[in-house]
Amino acid sequence: METSSERYPIVTVDAVLLTLEEHQVKILLHRRSNAPFEGAWALPGGYLHLDEDADTSEAIARVLHDKTGLDDIYLEQLKTFSGPARDPRGWSVSVSHLALIPRSDLPDDLGADVGLFDVRKLPKTPFDHGDQIREAVSRLRGKGAYSSLPVQFLPAQFTMVDLQQVYEDVLGETGDQSSFRRKISSLDIIEETGDLAREGRRRPAALYRLKAPGRTFDQSLKGAPRGKT
Amino acid sequence: METSSERYPIVTVDAVLLTLEEHQVKILLHRRSNAPFEGAWALPGGYLHLDEDADTSEAIARVLHDKTGLDDIYLEQLKTFSGPARDPRGWSVSVSHLALIPRSDLPDDLGADVGLFDVRKLPKTPFDHGDQIREAVSRLRGKGAYSSLPVQFLPAQFTMVDLQQVYEDVLGETGDQSSFRRKISSLDIIEETGDLAREGRRRPAALYRLKAPGRTFDQSLKGAPRGKT
DNA sequence: AGAATAGTGTCTCTGAGACACTATGTT
DNA sequence: AACATAGTGTCTCAGAGACACTATTCT
């Protein structure tokens, strides 16, 4: 029966970490400090630590923590990429994850080896990172129209106007205010906090938050809240 | 200390192979011939063959070919399951796939170590196969309402009435004929073959086929038609 | 009070479901 | 011709977009 043809493949985890900056969907890339492709802009990723990771979501959460200092990032599994050629080190499997984060959770200055890039103007990336990014953006846009994914780009409290702006930035189209509010209400994913956003302008807006801590319905519960360290 | 391969986890591929029999969604399980869980009903699955598999989809296609003799099965990647506890042999990663097949493509008699089970009355399954099955059925039902997934349960040629029956079997609810035809037309996924199905009953029905060989839109192109070998 | 932004009421038009009808084959 | 199943026409109602209106706060 099993005559293992060789041994096991290399296994890694990667994250397509997206955020919104200047009304553009941007991706966080990181300069590789090791071979292969040392010095190239690439997705944050790394190996599993079999002695500490509970699953691949925890593994990528750990990697992101180590590379960006952030915890409690919204994560969901995207797709697994595999094959003999995608990594020059040999037959490999990469479990790719979608990560979403408000721009304000990142430091203003990211440093020299971390950068945010408009997803429509990407630098050359190694491996199949381009495919992973395309997959992630397509997931965001595809489900974005009627899911709670874009909410992850906002801080915990936000106004309806903020929310509408985010959806429009993600989908690249503007819409009617009244229709938007109706649609969001029917999705039943946010609730009023009771507070108001008074930012010195004119009439203050009501503040909302995501309803269930565990986000929406289908895939989302995966690597979501992470009560982790 | 356990067999832990220290650096890399065990990597396997599994398939949740679904079909439709007697208007029920059924899953193909297979009696394990090896440890662990020898003799238990489990998902068909196996190891990667690094010297012959081009990716995980090809790997699971090869496994299914070896276990059922079938080629050209509709496949799409489902999700990757991982963790230290899901397999007693150690930290493991399983890339799970959804496979759909017409009942008529399977032999009438499946033999003693292959069985079809109603997805609502599953036998005990080892590993996290129960989770994988739930995930697959939920994907089928979730996307089934407006995707071309259920078409994969039918042979290459089928009538509108056949098609409606399949959707209703999958979703578990009946609907209006006129509405159904309008919805399917708007999806633009099938086309008339020009032939008629004359099965000795009364008026013959027009025959249809899936439009693009590459199925629908979003995820489906993954492991789809497979001009394999 | 007036300006500016937040938030709502409502008209219309489209699209889905319900249901009755027509069409075309078999016996 | 009668019948059974395939396939279509159309009515109605609910929901989405467009747009004008009202509400609340700041200066």
Side-chain angles (χ1 to χ4, degrees), chain A residues 10-15 43 45-46 79-83 86 91-97 128-129 132, chain B residues 77 80:
Chain A
I10 297 163
V11 179
T12 56
V13 286
D14 287 316
L43 296 180
K79 187 185 148 181
T80 295
F81 294 77
S82 60
R86 53 176 300 281
W91 219 107
S92 64
V93 169
S94 170
V95 185
S96 181
H97 298 257
D128 48 14
H129 288 184
Q132 295 193 38
Chain B
Q77 191 181 303
T80 295

mmCIF file with all atom_site columns, all heavy atoms in Angstrom, chain A residues 10-15 43 45-46 79-83 86 91-97 128-129 132, chain B residues 77 80:
data_model
loop_
_atom_site.group_PDB
_atom_site.id
_atom_site.type_symbol
_atom_site.label_atom_id
_atom_site.label_alt_id
_atom_site.label_comp_id
_atom_site.label_asym_id
_atom_site.label_entity_id
_atom_site.label_seq_id
_atom_site.pdbx_PDB_ins_code
_atom_site.Cartn_x
_atom_site.Cartn_y
_atom_site.Cartn_z
_atom_site.occupancy
_atom_site.B_iso_or_equiv
_atom_site.pdbx_formal_charge
_atom_site.auth_seq_id
_atom_site.auth_comp_id
_atom_site.auth_asym_id
_atom_site.auth_atom_id
_atom_site.pdbx_PDB_model_num
ATOM 1   N N   . ILE A 1 10  ? 7.227   20.438 2.356  1.00 0.00 ? 10  ILE A N   1
ATOM 2   C CA  . ILE A 1 10  ? 7.398   21.592 3.228  1.00 0.00 ? 10  ILE A CA  1
ATOM 3   C C   . ILE A 1 10  ? 6.019   22.171 3.509  1.00 0.00 ? 10  ILE A C   1
ATOM 4   O O   . ILE A 1 10  ? 5.180   22.249 2.604  1.00 0.00 ? 10  ILE A O   1
ATOM 5   C CB  . ILE A 1 10  ? 8.247   22.654 2.495  1.00 0.00 ? 10  ILE A CB  1
ATOM 6   C CG1 . ILE A 1 10  ? 9.636   22.100 2.201  1.00 0.00 ? 10  ILE A CG1 1
ATOM 7   C CG2 . ILE A 1 10  ? 8.309   23.956 3.276  1.00 0.00 ? 10  ILE A CG2 1
ATOM 8   C CD1 . ILE A 1 10  ? 10.382  22.890 1.140  1.00 0.00 ? 10  ILE A CD1 1
ATOM 9   N N   . VAL A 1 11  ? 5.759   22.571 4.717  1.00 0.00 ? 11  VAL A N   1
ATOM 10  C CA  . VAL A 1 11  ? 4.466   23.172 5.058  1.00 0.00 ? 11  VAL A CA  1
ATOM 11  C C   . VAL A 1 11  ? 4.688   24.550 5.668  1.00 0.00 ? 11  VAL A C   1
ATOM 12  O O   . VAL A 1 11  ? 5.454   24.691 6.617  1.00 0.00 ? 11  VAL A O   1
ATOM 13  C CB  . VAL A 1 11  ? 3.677   22.292 6.050  1.00 0.00 ? 11  VAL A CB  1
ATOM 14  C CG1 . VAL A 1 11  ? 2.355   22.949 6.394  1.00 0.00 ? 11  VAL A CG1 1
ATOM 15  C CG2 . VAL A 1 11  ? 3.444   20.913 5.464  1.00 0.00 ? 11  VAL A CG2 1
ATOM 16  N N   . THR A 1 12  ? 4.018   25.529 5.097  1.00 0.00 ? 12  THR A N   1
ATOM 17  C CA  . THR A 1 12  ? 4.111   26.880 5.648  1.00 0.00 ? 12  THR A CA  1
ATOM 18  C C   . THR A 1 12  ? 2.713   27.474 5.772  1.00 0.00 ? 12  THR A C   1
ATOM 19  O O   . THR A 1 12  ? 1.741   26.936 5.246  1.00 0.00 ? 12  THR A O   1
ATOM 20  C CB  . THR A 1 12  ? 4.946   27.810 4.746  1.00 0.00 ? 12  THR A CB  1
ATOM 21  O OG1 . THR A 1 12  ? 4.388   27.800 3.434  1.00 0.00 ? 12  THR A OG1 1
ATOM 22  C CG2 . THR A 1 12  ? 6.391   27.350 4.662  1.00 0.00 ? 12  THR A CG2 1
ATOM 23  N N   . VAL A 1 13  ? 2.637   28.605 6.472  1.00 0.00 ? 13  VAL A N   1
ATOM 24  C CA  . VAL A 1 13  ? 1.401   29.382 6.529  1.00 0.00 ? 13  VAL A CA  1
ATOM 25  C C   . VAL A 1 13  ? 1.726   30.785 6.036  1.00 0.00 ? 13  VAL A C   1
ATOM 26  O O   . VAL A 1 13  ? 2.800   31.313 6.306  1.00 0.00 ? 13  VAL A O   1
ATOM 27  C CB  . VAL A 1 13  ? 0.809   29.450 7.951  1.00 0.00 ? 13  VAL A CB  1
ATOM 28  C CG1 . VAL A 1 13  ? 0.176   28.121 8.327  1.00 0.00 ? 13  VAL A CG1 1
ATOM 29  C CG2 . VAL A 1 13  ? 1.867   29.841 8.967  1.00 0.00 ? 13  VAL A CG2 1
ATOM 30  N N   . ASP A 1 14  ? 0.800   31.367 5.292  1.00 0.00 ? 14  ASP A N   1
ATOM 31  C CA  . ASP A 1 14  ? 0.970   32.735 4.809  1.00 0.00 ? 14  ASP A CA  1
ATOM 32  C C   . ASP A 1 14  ? -0.266  33.544 5.152  1.00 0.00 ? 14  ASP A C   1
ATOM 33  O O   . ASP A 1 14  ? -1.345  32.994 5.350  1.00 0.00 ? 14  ASP A O   1
ATOM 34  C CB  . ASP A 1 14  ? 1.143   32.748 3.282  1.00 0.00 ? 14  ASP A CB  1
ATOM 35  C CG  . ASP A 1 14  ? 2.507   32.227 2.850  1.00 0.00 ? 14  ASP A CG  1
ATOM 36  O OD1 . ASP A 1 14  ? 3.508   32.614 3.461  1.00 0.00 ? 14  ASP A OD1 1
ATOM 37  O OD2 . ASP A 1 14  ? 2.562   31.421 1.898  1.00 0.00 ? 14  ASP A OD2 1
ATOM 38  N N   . ALA A 1 15  ? -0.098  34.854 5.174  1.00 0.00 ? 15  ALA A N   1
ATOM 39  C CA  . ALA A 1 15  ? -1.247  35.727 5.413  1.00 0.00 ? 15  ALA A CA  1
ATOM 40  C C   . ALA A 1 15  ? -1.286  36.828 4.360  1.00 0.00 ? 15  ALA A C   1
ATOM 41  O O   . ALA A 1 15  ? -0.275  37.476 4.084  1.00 0.00 ? 15  ALA A O   1
ATOM 42  C CB  . ALA A 1 15  ? -1.186  36.349 6.796  1.00 0.00 ? 15  ALA A CB  1
ATOM 43  N N   . LEU A 1 43  ? 4.582   38.081 1.198  1.00 0.00 ? 43  LEU A N   1
ATOM 44  C CA  . LEU A 1 43  ? 3.581   37.951 2.244  1.00 0.00 ? 43  LEU A CA  1
ATOM 45  C C   . LEU A 1 43  ? 4.254   37.543 3.546  1.00 0.00 ? 43  LEU A C   1
ATOM 46  O O   . LEU A 1 43  ? 5.200   36.750 3.533  1.00 0.00 ? 43  LEU A O   1
ATOM 47  C CB  . LEU A 1 43  ? 2.566   36.857 1.885  1.00 0.00 ? 43  LEU A CB  1
ATOM 48  C CG  . LEU A 1 43  ? 1.706   37.077 0.649  1.00 0.00 ? 43  LEU A CG  1
ATOM 49  C CD1 . LEU A 1 43  ? 0.777   35.881 0.461  1.00 0.00 ? 43  LEU A CD1 1
ATOM 50  C CD2 . LEU A 1 43  ? 0.902   38.357 0.780  1.00 0.00 ? 43  LEU A CD2 1
ATOM 51  N N   . GLY A 1 45  ? 4.745   35.206 6.484  1.00 0.00 ? 45  GLY A N   1
ATOM 52  C CA  . GLY A 1 45  ? 4.452   33.780 6.588  1.00 0.00 ? 45  GLY A CA  1
ATOM 53  C C   . GLY A 1 45  ? 5.573   33.067 7.286  1.00 0.00 ? 45  GLY A C   1
ATOM 54  O O   . GLY A 1 45  ? 6.587   33.690 7.639  1.00 0.00 ? 45  GLY A O   1
ATOM 55  N N   . GLY A 1 46  ? 5.388   31.782 7.511  1.00 0.00 ? 46  GLY A N   1
ATOM 56  C CA  . GLY A 1 46  ? 6.447   31.057 8.186  1.00 0.00 ? 46  GLY A CA  1
ATOM 57  C C   . GLY A 1 46  ? 6.096   29.601 8.407  1.00 0.00 ? 46  GLY A C   1
ATOM 58  O O   . GLY A 1 46  ? 5.076   29.114 7.905  1.00 0.00 ? 46  GLY A O   1
ATOM 59  N N   . LYS A 1 79  ? -7.260  29.526 1.358  1.00 0.00 ? 79  LYS A N   1
ATOM 60  C CA  . LYS A 1 79  ? -7.122  28.404 0.445  1.00 0.00 ? 79  LYS A CA  1
ATOM 61  C C   . LYS A 1 79  ? -5.727  27.836 0.668  1.00 0.00 ? 79  LYS A C   1
ATOM 62  O O   . LYS A 1 79  ? -4.856  28.541 1.172  1.00 0.00 ? 79  LYS A O   1
ATOM 63  C CB  . LYS A 1 79  ? -7.257  28.909 -0.987 1.00 0.00 ? 79  LYS A CB  1
ATOM 64  C CG  . LYS A 1 79  ? -7.311  27.844 -2.053 1.00 0.00 ? 79  LYS A CG  1
ATOM 65  C CD  . LYS A 1 79  ? -7.332  28.448 -3.435 1.00 0.00 ? 79  LYS A CD  1
ATOM 66  C CE  . LYS A 1 79  ? -6.630  27.543 -4.420 1.00 0.00 ? 79  LYS A CE  1
ATOM 67  N NZ  . LYS A 1 79  ? -6.600  28.112 -5.778 1.00 0.00 ? 79  LYS A NZ  1
ATOM 68  N N   . THR A 1 80  ? -5.551  26.603 0.284  1.00 0.00 ? 80  THR A N   1
ATOM 69  C CA  . THR A 1 80  ? -4.227  26.010 0.427  1.00 0.00 ? 80  THR A CA  1
ATOM 70  C C   . THR A 1 80  ? -3.598  25.869 -0.947 1.00 0.00 ? 80  THR A C   1
ATOM 71  O O   . THR A 1 80  ? -4.221  25.338 -1.874 1.00 0.00 ? 80  THR A O   1
ATOM 72  C CB  . THR A 1 80  ? -4.335  24.650 1.128  1.00 0.00 ? 80  THR A CB  1
ATOM 73  O OG1 . THR A 1 80  ? -4.806  24.875 2.455  1.00 0.00 ? 80  THR A OG1 1
ATOM 74  C CG2 . THR A 1 80  ? -2.991  23.950 1.161  1.00 0.00 ? 80  THR A CG2 1
ATOM 75  N N   . PHE A 1 81  ? -2.398  26.384 -1.060 1.00 0.00 ? 81  PHE A N   1
ATOM 76  C CA  . PHE A 1 81  ? -1.667  26.324 -2.326 1.00 0.00 ? 81  PHE A CA  1
ATOM 77  C C   . PHE A 1 81  ? -0.611  25.240 -2.221 1.00 0.00 ? 81  PHE A C   1
ATOM 78  O O   . PHE A 1 81  ? 0.008   25.067 -1.172 1.00 0.00 ? 81  PHE A O   1
ATOM 79  C CB  . PHE A 1 81  ? -1.029  27.686 -2.613 1.00 0.00 ? 81  PHE A CB  1
ATOM 80  C CG  . PHE A 1 81  ? -2.040  28.768 -2.875 1.00 0.00 ? 81  PHE A CG  1
ATOM 81  C CD1 . PHE A 1 81  ? -2.736  29.355 -1.831 1.00 0.00 ? 81  PHE A CD1 1
ATOM 82  C CD2 . PHE A 1 81  ? -2.318  29.185 -4.167 1.00 0.00 ? 81  PHE A CD2 1
ATOM 83  C CE1 . PHE A 1 81  ? -3.683  30.347 -2.061 1.00 0.00 ? 81  PHE A CE1 1
ATOM 84  C CE2 . PHE A 1 81  ? -3.268  30.175 -4.408 1.00 0.00 ? 81  PHE A CE2 1
ATOM 85  C CZ  . PHE A 1 81  ? -3.955  30.757 -3.353 1.00 0.00 ? 81  PHE A CZ  1
ATOM 86  N N   . SER A 1 82  ? -0.386  24.537 -3.309 1.00 0.00 ? 82  SER A N   1
ATOM 87  C CA  . SER A 1 82  ? 0.535   23.414 -3.224 1.00 0.00 ? 82  SER A CA  1
ATOM 88  C C   . SER A 1 82  ? 1.137   23.094 -4.572 1.00 0.00 ? 82  SER A C   1
ATOM 89  O O   . SER A 1 82  ? 0.622   23.519 -5.607 1.00 0.00 ? 82  SER A O   1
ATOM 90  C CB  . SER A 1 82  ? -0.207  22.178 -2.715 1.00 0.00 ? 82  SER A CB  1
ATOM 91  O OG  . SER A 1 82  ? -1.263  21.854 -3.601 1.00 0.00 ? 82  SER A OG  1
ATOM 92  N N   . GLY A 1 83  ? 2.218   22.346 -4.557 1.00 0.00 ? 83  GLY A N   1
ATOM 93  C CA  . GLY A 1 83  ? 2.840   21.896 -5.795 1.00 0.00 ? 83  GLY A CA  1
ATOM 94  C C   . GLY A 1 83  ? 4.340   21.791 -5.674 1.00 0.00 ? 83  GLY A C   1
ATOM 95  O O   . GLY A 1 83  ? 4.919   22.272 -4.702 1.00 0.00 ? 83  GLY A O   1
ATOM 96  N N   . ARG A 1 86  ? 6.190   25.710 -6.643 1.00 0.00 ? 86  ARG A N   1
ATOM 97  C CA  . ARG A 1 86  ? 5.912   27.044 -6.108 1.00 0.00 ? 86  ARG A CA  1
ATOM 98  C C   . ARG A 1 86  ? 6.994   27.532 -5.149 1.00 0.00 ? 86  ARG A C   1
ATOM 99  O O   . ARG A 1 86  ? 7.125   28.726 -4.916 1.00 0.00 ? 86  ARG A O   1
ATOM 100 C CB  . ARG A 1 86  ? 4.539   27.099 -5.422 1.00 0.00 ? 86  ARG A CB  1
ATOM 101 C CG  . ARG A 1 86  ? 4.298   26.062 -4.366 1.00 0.00 ? 86  ARG A CG  1
ATOM 102 C CD  . ARG A 1 86  ? 2.960   26.277 -3.683 1.00 0.00 ? 86  ARG A CD  1
ATOM 103 N NE  . ARG A 1 86  ? 2.901   27.577 -3.048 1.00 0.00 ? 86  ARG A NE  1
ATOM 104 C CZ  . ARG A 1 86  ? 3.465   27.872 -1.883 1.00 0.00 ? 86  ARG A CZ  1
ATOM 105 N NH1 . ARG A 1 86  ? 4.149   26.961 -1.221 1.00 0.00 ? 86  ARG A NH1 1
ATOM 106 N NH2 . ARG A 1 86  ? 3.347   29.076 -1.372 1.00 0.00 ? 86  ARG A NH2 1
ATOM 107 N N   . TRP A 1 91  ? 8.766   20.384 -3.058 1.00 0.00 ? 91  TRP A N   1
ATOM 108 C CA  . TRP A 1 91  ? 7.311   20.225 -3.007 1.00 0.00 ? 91  TRP A CA  1
ATOM 109 C C   . TRP A 1 91  ? 6.794   20.866 -1.715 1.00 0.00 ? 91  TRP A C   1
ATOM 110 O O   . TRP A 1 91  ? 7.236   20.510 -0.620 1.00 0.00 ? 91  TRP A O   1
ATOM 111 C CB  . TRP A 1 91  ? 6.961   18.751 -3.009 1.00 0.00 ? 91  TRP A CB  1
ATOM 112 C CG  . TRP A 1 91  ? 5.762   18.403 -3.837 1.00 0.00 ? 91  TRP A CG  1
ATOM 113 C CD1 . TRP A 1 91  ? 5.766   17.766 -5.046 1.00 0.00 ? 91  TRP A CD1 1
ATOM 114 C CD2 . TRP A 1 91  ? 4.374   18.627 -3.509 1.00 0.00 ? 91  TRP A CD2 1
ATOM 115 N NE1 . TRP A 1 91  ? 4.469   17.593 -5.509 1.00 0.00 ? 91  TRP A NE1 1
ATOM 116 C CE2 . TRP A 1 91  ? 3.602   18.107 -4.598 1.00 0.00 ? 91  TRP A CE2 1
ATOM 117 C CE3 . TRP A 1 91  ? 3.714   19.232 -2.447 1.00 0.00 ? 91  TRP A CE3 1
ATOM 118 C CZ2 . TRP A 1 91  ? 2.199   18.179 -4.611 1.00 0.00 ? 91  TRP A CZ2 1
ATOM 119 C CZ3 . TRP A 1 91  ? 2.321   19.310 -2.475 1.00 0.00 ? 91  TRP A CZ3 1
ATOM 120 C CH2 . TRP A 1 91  ? 1.585   18.775 -3.551 1.00 0.00 ? 91  TRP A CH2 1
ATOM 121 N N   . SER A 1 92  ? 5.850   21.788 -1.857 1.00 0.00 ? 92  SER A N   1
ATOM 122 C CA  . SER A 1 92  ? 5.433   22.542 -0.681 1.00 0.00 ? 92  SER A CA  1
ATOM 123 C C   . SER A 1 92  ? 3.933   22.756 -0.641 1.00 0.00 ? 92  SER A C   1
ATOM 124 O O   . SER A 1 92  ? 3.249   22.715 -1.657 1.00 0.00 ? 92  SER A O   1
ATOM 125 C CB  . SER A 1 92  ? 6.123   23.904 -0.679 1.00 0.00 ? 92  SER A CB  1
ATOM 126 O OG  . SER A 1 92  ? 5.692   24.644 -1.794 1.00 0.00 ? 92  SER A OG  1
ATOM 127 N N   . VAL A 1 93  ? 3.477   22.979 0.559  1.00 0.00 ? 93  VAL A N   1
ATOM 128 C CA  . VAL A 1 93  ? 2.073   23.281 0.831  1.00 0.00 ? 93  VAL A CA  1
ATOM 129 C C   . VAL A 1 93  ? 2.052   24.553 1.649  1.00 0.00 ? 93  VAL A C   1
ATOM 130 O O   . VAL A 1 93  ? 2.760   24.652 2.649  1.00 0.00 ? 93  VAL A O   1
ATOM 131 C CB  . VAL A 1 93  ? 1.407   22.146 1.639  1.00 0.00 ? 93  VAL A CB  1
ATOM 132 C CG1 . VAL A 1 93  ? 0.037   22.571 2.142  1.00 0.00 ? 93  VAL A CG1 1
ATOM 133 C CG2 . VAL A 1 93  ? 1.302   20.875 0.801  1.00 0.00 ? 93  VAL A CG2 1
ATOM 134 N N   . SER A 1 94  ? 1.240   25.525 1.211  1.00 0.00 ? 94  SER A N   1
ATOM 135 C CA  . SER A 1 94  ? 1.091   26.725 2.015  1.00 0.00 ? 94  SER A CA  1
ATOM 136 C C   . SER A 1 94  ? -0.382  26.956 2.296  1.00 0.00 ? 94  SER A C   1
ATOM 137 O O   . SER A 1 94  ? -1.194  27.050 1.383  1.00 0.00 ? 94  SER A O   1
ATOM 138 C CB  . SER A 1 94  ? 1.655   27.939 1.286  1.00 0.00 ? 94  SER A CB  1
ATOM 139 O OG  . SER A 1 94  ? 1.278   29.106 1.990  1.00 0.00 ? 94  SER A OG  1
ATOM 140 N N   . VAL A 1 95  ? -0.711  27.017 3.565  1.00 0.00 ? 95  VAL A N   1
ATOM 141 C CA  . VAL A 1 95  ? -2.089  27.312 3.958  1.00 0.00 ? 95  VAL A CA  1
ATOM 142 C C   . VAL A 1 95  ? -2.201  28.826 4.055  1.00 0.00 ? 95  VAL A C   1
ATOM 143 O O   . VAL A 1 95  ? -1.600  29.456 4.926  1.00 0.00 ? 95  VAL A O   1
ATOM 144 C CB  . VAL A 1 95  ? -2.458  26.646 5.288  1.00 0.00 ? 95  VAL A CB  1
ATOM 145 C CG1 . VAL A 1 95  ? -3.935  26.873 5.598  1.00 0.00 ? 95  VAL A CG1 1
ATOM 146 C CG2 . VAL A 1 95  ? -2.144  25.155 5.248  1.00 0.00 ? 95  VAL A CG2 1
ATOM 147 N N   . SER A 1 96  ? -2.950  29.390 3.122  1.00 0.00 ? 96  SER A N   1
ATOM 148 C CA  . SER A 1 96  ? -3.030  30.839 3.026  1.00 0.00 ? 96  SER A CA  1
ATOM 149 C C   . SER A 1 96  ? -4.231  31.366 3.800  1.00 0.00 ? 96  SER A C   1
ATOM 150 O O   . SER A 1 96  ? -5.294  30.749 3.798  1.00 0.00 ? 96  SER A O   1
ATOM 151 C CB  . SER A 1 96  ? -3.149  31.233 1.556  1.00 0.00 ? 96  SER A CB  1
ATOM 152 O OG  . SER A 1 96  ? -3.208  32.630 1.427  1.00 0.00 ? 96  SER A OG  1
ATOM 153 N N   . HIS A 1 97  ? -4.037  32.492 4.445  1.00 0.00 ? 97  HIS A N   1
ATOM 154 C CA  . HIS A 1 97  ? -5.089  33.071 5.279  1.00 0.00 ? 97  HIS A CA  1
ATOM 155 C C   . HIS A 1 97  ? -5.364  34.507 4.855  1.00 0.00 ? 97  HIS A C   1
ATOM 156 O O   . HIS A 1 97  ? -4.465  35.216 4.410  1.00 0.00 ? 97  HIS A O   1
ATOM 157 C CB  . HIS A 1 97  ? -4.670  33.046 6.752  1.00 0.00 ? 97  HIS A CB  1
ATOM 158 C CG  . HIS A 1 97  ? -4.444  31.667 7.282  1.00 0.00 ? 97  HIS A CG  1
ATOM 159 N ND1 . HIS A 1 97  ? -5.341  31.009 8.075  1.00 0.00 ? 97  HIS A ND1 1
ATOM 160 C CD2 . HIS A 1 97  ? -3.417  30.811 7.091  1.00 0.00 ? 97  HIS A CD2 1
ATOM 161 C CE1 . HIS A 1 97  ? -4.879  29.806 8.365  1.00 0.00 ? 97  HIS A CE1 1
ATOM 162 N NE2 . HIS A 1 97  ? -3.701  29.657 7.783  1.00 0.00 ? 97  HIS A NE2 1
ATOM 163 N N   . ASP A 1 128 ? 3.942   31.936 -5.127 1.00 0.00 ? 128 ASP A N   1
ATOM 164 C CA  . ASP A 1 128 ? 2.678   32.234 -5.794 1.00 0.00 ? 128 ASP A CA  1
ATOM 165 C C   . ASP A 1 128 ? 1.930   33.318 -5.023 1.00 0.00 ? 128 ASP A C   1
ATOM 166 O O   . ASP A 1 128 ? 0.707   33.330 -4.977 1.00 0.00 ? 128 ASP A O   1
ATOM 167 C CB  . ASP A 1 128 ? 1.826   30.967 -5.906 1.00 0.00 ? 128 ASP A CB  1
ATOM 168 C CG  . ASP A 1 128 ? 1.745   30.230 -4.578 1.00 0.00 ? 128 ASP A CG  1
ATOM 169 O OD1 . ASP A 1 128 ? 2.103   30.827 -3.547 1.00 0.00 ? 128 ASP A OD1 1
ATOM 170 O OD2 . ASP A 1 128 ? 1.324   29.067 -4.569 1.00 0.00 ? 128 ASP A OD2 1
ATOM 171 N N   . HIS A 1 129 ? 2.677   34.223 -4.431 1.00 0.00 ? 129 HIS A N   1
ATOM 172 C CA  . HIS A 1 129 ? 2.031   35.232 -3.592 1.00 0.00 ? 129 HIS A CA  1
ATOM 173 C C   . HIS A 1 129 ? 1.068   36.109 -4.376 1.00 0.00 ? 129 HIS A C   1
ATOM 174 O O   . HIS A 1 129 ? 0.063   36.563 -3.836 1.00 0.00 ? 129 HIS A O   1
ATOM 175 C CB  . HIS A 1 129 ? 3.087   36.065 -2.860 1.00 0.00 ? 129 HIS A CB  1
ATOM 176 C CG  . HIS A 1 129 ? 3.771   35.300 -1.764 1.00 0.00 ? 129 HIS A CG  1
ATOM 177 N ND1 . HIS A 1 129 ? 4.691   35.838 -0.913 1.00 0.00 ? 129 HIS A ND1 1
ATOM 178 C CD2 . HIS A 1 129 ? 3.624   34.000 -1.385 1.00 0.00 ? 129 HIS A CD2 1
ATOM 179 C CE1 . HIS A 1 129 ? 5.096   34.913 -0.054 1.00 0.00 ? 129 HIS A CE1 1
ATOM 180 N NE2 . HIS A 1 129 ? 4.475   33.785 -0.332 1.00 0.00 ? 129 HIS A NE2 1
ATOM 181 N N   . GLN A 1 132 ? -2.168  34.322 -4.384 1.00 0.00 ? 132 GLN A N   1
ATOM 182 C CA  . GLN A 1 132 ? -2.806  34.393 -3.070 1.00 0.00 ? 132 GLN A CA  1
ATOM 183 C C   . GLN A 1 132 ? -3.473  35.750 -2.879 1.00 0.00 ? 132 GLN A C   1
ATOM 184 O O   . GLN A 1 132 ? -4.586  35.836 -2.347 1.00 0.00 ? 132 GLN A O   1
ATOM 185 C CB  . GLN A 1 132 ? -1.772  34.161 -1.955 1.00 0.00 ? 132 GLN A CB  1
ATOM 186 C CG  . GLN A 1 132 ? -1.176  32.759 -1.980 1.00 0.00 ? 132 GLN A CG  1
ATOM 187 C CD  . GLN A 1 132 ? -0.403  32.436 -0.704 1.00 0.00 ? 132 GLN A CD  1
ATOM 188 O OE1 . GLN A 1 132 ? -0.796  32.823 0.396  1.00 0.00 ? 132 GLN A OE1 1
ATOM 189 N NE2 . GLN A 1 132 ? 0.704   31.719 -0.844 1.00 0.00 ? 132 GLN A NE2 1
ATOM 190 N N   . GLN B 1 77  ? -11.456 22.485 -3.782 1.00 0.00 ? 77  GLN B N   1
ATOM 191 C CA  . GLN B 1 77  ? -10.872 22.462 -2.452 1.00 0.00 ? 77  GLN B CA  1
ATOM 192 C C   . GLN B 1 77  ? -11.856 23.012 -1.447 1.00 0.00 ? 77  GLN B C   1
ATOM 193 O O   . GLN B 1 77  ? -12.549 24.001 -1.718 1.00 0.00 ? 77  GLN B O   1
ATOM 194 C CB  . GLN B 1 77  ? -9.593  23.295 -2.453 1.00 0.00 ? 77  GLN B CB  1
ATOM 195 C CG  . GLN B 1 77  ? -8.774  23.117 -1.196 1.00 0.00 ? 77  GLN B CG  1
ATOM 196 C CD  . GLN B 1 77  ? -7.527  23.981 -1.208 1.00 0.00 ? 77  GLN B CD  1
ATOM 197 O OE1 . GLN B 1 77  ? -6.705  23.899 -2.105 1.00 0.00 ? 77  GLN B OE1 1
ATOM 198 N NE2 . GLN B 1 77  ? -7.399  24.833 -0.219 1.00 0.00 ? 77  GLN B NE2 1
ATOM 199 N N   . THR B 1 80  ? -8.671  23.394 4.814  1.00 0.00 ? 80  THR B N   1
ATOM 200 C CA  . THR B 1 80  ? -7.582  22.596 5.360  1.00 0.00 ? 80  THR B CA  1
ATOM 201 C C   . THR B 1 80  ? -7.745  22.474 6.860  1.00 0.00 ? 80  THR B C   1
ATOM 202 O O   . THR B 1 80  ? -7.940  23.476 7.552  1.00 0.00 ? 80  THR B O   1
ATOM 203 C CB  . THR B 1 80  ? -6.236  23.237 4.998  1.00 0.00 ? 80  THR B CB  1
ATOM 204 O OG1 . THR B 1 80  ? -6.086  23.184 3.579  1.00 0.00 ? 80  THR B OG1 1
ATOM 205 C CG2 . THR B 1 80  ? -5.089  22.503 5.659  1.00 0.00 ? 80  THR B CG2 1
#
